[in-house]
Amino acid sequence: MDASVINGAAGAAAISISGGQGGGVSGGFGASVVVNDIGNDVAARIDASTATASGSVLVQADSTADIVAVSVSGAGAGAGGQGGGISIAGTAAIAINFIGNSVVARVSGGAVADAGAGSVRVLAADASTINAAAGAVAITVAGGQAGGGAAGLG
């Protein structure tokens, strides 16, 4: 039985403000990356053996690996002045998740499973899950007496 759990979180924030009598230039950039990886080999087997039971025989392998990942990022920039202002902000949030499990249940290699009056059951199940969220926000403000320009990417 595999019950691996990963809870991952990453965050980033950037704020930039500038100003002056002649004008101002401001830039704010942020990035957040979370990477999670689960790789397990889960096996249940009767191999080259004899299993005898008066009831049932159960060979079972299960995996319930879970990944919960959150990645958030924000950036803000503001610029201004009498001559004008230029403001640029950019941000990114990325969540990368992998589950690569091998789940095997078997009776092999000349094995004998004798359950008498019961049953022989061989079960393998993988109920792994990934829950991920990523979000990014960029805010820019620029202004001045002569004008201003602002660009944001998030």
Side-chain angles (χ1 to χ4, degrees), residues 23-144:
V25 176
S26 179
F29 302 94
S32 172
V33 177
V34 61
V35 178
N36 300 300
D37 185 9
I38 295 176
N40 292 311
D41 293 322
V42 181
R45 64 180 135 228
I46 300 173
D47 190 13
S49 301
T50 300
T52 304
S54 59
S56 297
V57 174
L58 173 63
V59 181
Q60 182 172 353
D62 294 311
S63 177
T64 58
D66 292 314
I67 293 177
V68 177
V70 177
S71 178
V72 294
S73 180
Q82 190 171 353
I86 298 174
S87 176
I88 299 172
T91 187
I94 301 169
I96 301 170
N97 302 288
F98 302 99
I99 296 178
N101 289 337
S102 170
V103 182
V104 177
R106 69 179 173 213
V107 176
S108 63
V112 176
D114 181 2
S119 62
V120 176
R121 296 186 324 157
V122 181
L123 305 170
D126 188 351
S128 299
T129 60
I130 296 175
N131 295 299
V137 174
I139 300 171
T140 62
V141 177

